[in-house]
Amino acid sequence: MNDMQLAEVWVAVAFLVFVGILIYYGVHKTIVSALDARGARIAAELDEARRLKEEAQKLVAEYKRKQREAETEAESIVTAARAEAERLAAETKTKLEDFVARRTRMAEEKIAQAETQAIADVKAFAADAAVRAAEGLLGRVAHEADTAERVMNAAIADVKAKLN
């Protein structure tokens, strides 16, 4: 055996002694328990991660559901607002039409009253003019009647004088 092979044998023997010492002191149990503990910790972390993932998925699903509900509610609010706006527009249109009709009716009544008043004023003016004209005519007729009576009395007196 040469020196190189002899060194390899001593390294192998030293390694076996080292492994024997480790086994004697139970280092392999410590390593196995540390590896088991690390495996358990990793498994616990994986379980926690899985639980957190499921929780996050539940939260996402709940928020999506709430979002859908909010969208549905917003849609119903918009629909109700549109219906209310249409109702208010129709109501306003009806009120405006009533207002215009009332104003038109009031204007027509005022025009009719003004017409009636104008006719009454014209009739009153015509009656006053007729009364003044009648007074004038009656005054002339009375004056003419006085004149006619005087002329007639004078003619009667002249006829009496000539006949007597």
Side-chain angles (χ1 to χ4, degrees):
M1 268 193 154
N2 68 18
D3 286 338
M4 187 66 121
Q5 287 177 340
L6 189 62
E8 288 176 0
V9 169
W10 280 111
V11 168
V13 170
F15 179 72
L16 288 176
V17 170
F18 178 71
V19 170
I21 291 172
L22 289 177
I23 291 174
Y24 177 76
Y25 283 108
V27 172
H28 70 289
K29 290 179 184 176
T30 306
I31 292 173
V32 168
S33 67
L35 288 175
D36 285 344
R38 185 167 184 222
R41 192 174 68 243
I42 290 172
E45 287 176 1
L46 285 174
D47 288 341
E48 178 69 14
R50 216 174 280 119
R51 185 187 62 77
L52 289 174
K53 179 182 175 187
E54 289 172 359
E55 205 175 288
Q57 287 175 339
K58 287 179 184 177
L59 284 174
V60 166
E62 183 179 340
Y63 283 121
K64 284 184 179 179
R65 180 186 55 79
K66 285 182 179 180
Q67 180 184 9
R68 283 191 304 273
E69 288 174 359
E71 287 173 354
T72 304
E73 185 177 343
E75 202 172 292
S76 68
I77 289 171
V78 167
T79 303
R82 281 191 182 134
E84 181 68 14
E86 288 174 2
R87 184 189 64 76
L88 286 175
E91 184 178 306
T92 302
K93 182 180 177 187
T94 303
K95 284 183 180 179
L96 182 61
E97 288 172 354
D98 288 345
F99 176 74
V100 169
R102 241 187 355 256
R103 286 293 187 166
T104 303
R105 195 170 44 251
M106 286 173 54
E108 288 172 351
E109 287 174 2
K110 283 183 180 180
I111 289 170
Q113 286 176 353
E115 264 181 18
T116 304
Q117 185 63 40
I119 291 171
D121 289 346
V122 168
K123 283 181 180 180
F125 182 75
D128 286 343
V131 167
R132 275 184 268 137
E135 285 176 349
L137 284 175
L138 287 176
R140 268 189 281 139
V141 168
H143 179 60
E144 288 176 7
D146 286 342
T147 307
E149 191 176 325
R150 272 185 281 123
V151 169
M152 196 164 95
N153 285 339
I156 293 174
D158 194 29
V159 172
K160 277 187 189 179
K162 286 183 183 177
L163 288 176
N164 282 350

